[in-house]
Amino acid sequence: MATTQSRTSPRKARAQHPSTRGKGGRPPRQRHAHAAKHAAKHAKAAASGTPRRWSHEVMEHSDAMDLEADIFKTGSAQAIAESLKRSSTRSKRRKGTPFQSAMSMLNFYINRAGRNLPKARRDTLQQAKRKLREAFGREP
């Protein structure tokens, strides 16, 4: 019984298999060409010394609704809920219902603040969610 030495190596067999191709049928070496451009863009922002603050930009210039200045940073849960309700019902640029827009903006702020949000402030904002549900007549 003779063994065949002409078998292809497992590496070559994998490279020829169609499943090794990326999205759109491109070979793996070309699949990440966009990633290099993306990394260069971030490196340029980091080198300039200005942090990329897209979430700040959203809060300032969002088409969702116009908010009172620093409403999430100051005030009680009741004041935040009333302000959000007032802003969302007045806004003509929202896509969903006033309740959806208000709750979405509150959640956006909480999520983007992340670990930097002090526990006391996070508790106040969570309570503002409950107050917002009550203000719109939703069940808690």
Side-chain angles (χ1 to χ4, degrees), residues 53-94:
R53 296 176 49 172
W54 69 267
S55 59
H56 177 74
E57 188 72 20
V58 169
M59 294 295 286
E60 292 293 319
H61 304 290
S62 172
D63 277 344
M65 60 183 162
D66 295 321
L67 299 173
E68 292 179 24
D70 296 331
I71 187 60
F72 297 118
K73 295 178 183 175
T74 58
S76 66
Q78 185 66 35
I80 293 170
E82 289 171 359
S83 174
L84 283 171
K85 182 176 180 181
R86 194 170 37 252
S87 296
S88 65
T89 52
R90 287 180 185 166
S91 178
K92 303 288 186 228
R93 297 179 297 163
R94 64 177 187 271

Side-chain angles (χ1 to χ4, degrees), residues 3-9:
T3 60
T4 59
Q5 295 292 334
S6 63
R7 290 180 69 188
T8 59
S9 70

Side-chain angles (χ1 to χ4, degrees), residues 18-62:
S19 68
T20 59
R21 294 193 172 261
K23 292 181 179 178
R26 290 179 289 176
R29 69 182 181 284
Q30 294 175 355
R31 184 178 358 161
H32 300 293
H34 175 72
K37 274 194 242 179
H38 192 65
K41 182 179 175 184
H42 287 294
K44 184 179 177 183
S48 68
T50 57
R52 290 175 28 95
R53 296 176 49 172
W54 69 267
S55 59
H56 177 74
E57 188 72 20
V58 169
M59 294 295 286
E60 292 293 319
H61 304 290
S62 172

